[in-house]
Amino acid sequence: MDRLLQSVKININEKIYVKDPESSDLGRRIIEESILMIHDMGFESFTFKKLGVKIGSNESSIYRYFENKHKLLLYLASWYWGWLEYQLVFATNSISNPKEKLEKTIEIVTKGTEEDSSFSHINEVLLNKIVINEYSKSYLTKEIDAENKEGYFIIYKRLVTRISDMIKAIDADYPYASSLASTILEGSLHQYFLRDHFPSLTDCHAKNAPTAYFLNLVFSILIPKTK
Amino acid sequence: MDRLLQSVKININEKIYVKDPESSDLGRRIIEESILMIHDMGFESFTFKKLGVKIGSNESSIYRYFENKHKLLLYLASWYWGWLEYQLVFATNSISNPKEKLEKTIEIVTKGTEEDSSFSHINEVLLNKIVINEYSKSYLTKEIDAENKEGYFIIYKRLVTRISDMIKAIDADYPYASSLASTILEGSLHQYFLRDHFPSLTDCHAKNAPTAYFLNLVFSILIPKTK
DNA sequence: ATATAATGATAGTAATGCTATTATATTTGA
DNA sequence: TCAAATATAATAGCATTACTATCATTATAT
């Protein structure tokens, strides 16, 4: 990825954290190590106590950054979607042809993250895997409506809206632009999960196969209509 | 639904339970009330202790049926998918035209469950909502590969395979039959979730709108190719 | 009537998810 | 440069969870 990304700070809703983890060394270590730990042990087994031991700090200190591990997950997910959105906007901004633009977009949001920018403390490859395995848990809760109202999911929603708008730009009459956009994002994560754990339920085995699958899907739906 | 369903017992992998909940009154009450409680309070807040209080029984007695609440969720999900599979086979068995058959299938698996059979102790309407909100949590775990090997997900996998086979029957050359099948099942649950909590991310607002969305999607992809 | 199985009651344990308090560094800015 | 403010660390404590174990009681089946 472009080195420029390094200097861009992903803007995350301040209500998600108690204290901005980007504002201190401890905060950055919390983010850095939590990604490694959640990836290793899964979100359920991950605790602030264990994280404290790992970063040589104290449980109570971590609570000064995040109310609980659910909020930390919301933070990591927001960061990931913000990072993806940045890449998307950066890569498609100059494309004026609507079809090309959507193609590029699908490519970006469905390709697996394979290399770490290795500039920041955030390992994007592992974060992508965390999003695949844990993102649903961040919204499949009883608190979803309240948290949505607080704006904890704006970045994700904005991303879906961007894709939806591009779909509409190609076919203004297609009545399911938002559903299709959300299917691409969600469905892509799901296909990667299936590839790793239920290989018989997917055809996406090769590298970046979800991209080919969704490109075929989307343009089978949209293009014939515009002819 | 047909009254016949009443007499059919959904066959669930014996490893999921310690003692078959269908084999006793207490077992049936565990299933019946757990559905109500998980629907009400969400899977996270639900505990065997609370369930015990609700059914006027003891925590330890419930542990004689299910090792833990995760296994109970696997049981409920398997029952749901088995029930859906039964409906699907029942309704499509006699259809020989591949397109009609897939149409009917999509209709069945994407339509929201609106009425309870009210014959058994299982409330299918609430169970459908539980599947929408909690099913992902049953497989997004670190134990997934071991549990898959134990066969805890066979019914779900069989269902996806059935749909995949029907897709292949229409277009043998379409290279993503399994991915499309899994997208229909998963995506449908997701669209219902979005409808209830992120309405701006979906176009499926009307009753059974996911059915229309997926019918359009699938046949835009498959039919043009066969012409 | 007796053995067997199912259920209920009670207790206990380690871990989790916090909160609170106090002590000790570290930073900063007057 | 020193005091004040701020950040972090250490320790303790508490309610709840997710169990396990034991023993008593109650059906049921032979």
Side-chain angles (χ1 to χ4, degrees), chain B residues 5-24:
Chain B
L5 264 178
Q6 185 44 18
S7 52
V8 177
K9 201 203 165 199
I10 309 290
N11 227 321
I12 286 158
N13 188 329
E14 293 188 6
K15 289 178 197 154
I16 288 183
Y17 46 77
V18 180
K19 179 181 169 170
D20 186 357
E22 286 298 327
S23 72
S24 76

Side-chain angles (χ1 to χ4, degrees), chain B residues 152-165:
Chain B
Y152 298 169
F153 300 93
I154 9 164
I155 303 185
Y156 183 72
K157 284 157 75 177
R158 205 167 56 211
L159 192 55
V160 174
T161 305
R162 280 184 196 279
I163 301 171
S164 172
D165 288 345

Side-chain angles (χ1 to χ4, degrees), chain A residues 34-54:
Chain A
S34 68
I35 291 173
L36 306 180
M37 287 185 79
I38 294 174
H39 174 257
D40 278 349
M41 57 177 36
F43 189 65
E44 277 67 40
S45 302
F46 169 81
T47 71
F48 279 3
K49 188 156 214 164
K50 291 174 187 170
L51 177 60
V53 172
K54 191 78 168 282

Side-chain angles (χ1 to χ4, degrees), chain A residues 19 57-58 60 64-65:
Chain A
K19 179 181 169 169
S57 177
N58 203 271
S60 54
R64 288 201 187 88
Y65 286 84

Side-chain angles (χ1 to χ4, degrees), chain B residues 19 24 26 57-58 60-61 64-65:
Chain B
K19 179 181 169 170
S24 76
L26 180 62
S57 177
N58 202 273
S60 56
S61 302
R64 290 200 186 89
Y65 287 84

Side-chain angles (χ1 to χ4, degrees), chain A residues 142-158:
Chain A
K142 276 287 162 186
E143 295 74 37
I144 176 63
D145 295 330
E147 298 196 339
N148 185 22
K149 202 174 257 173
E150 291 290 313
Y152 297 170
F153 301 93
I154 8 163
I155 302 185
Y156 182 73
K157 284 158 76 176
R158 205 167 57 211

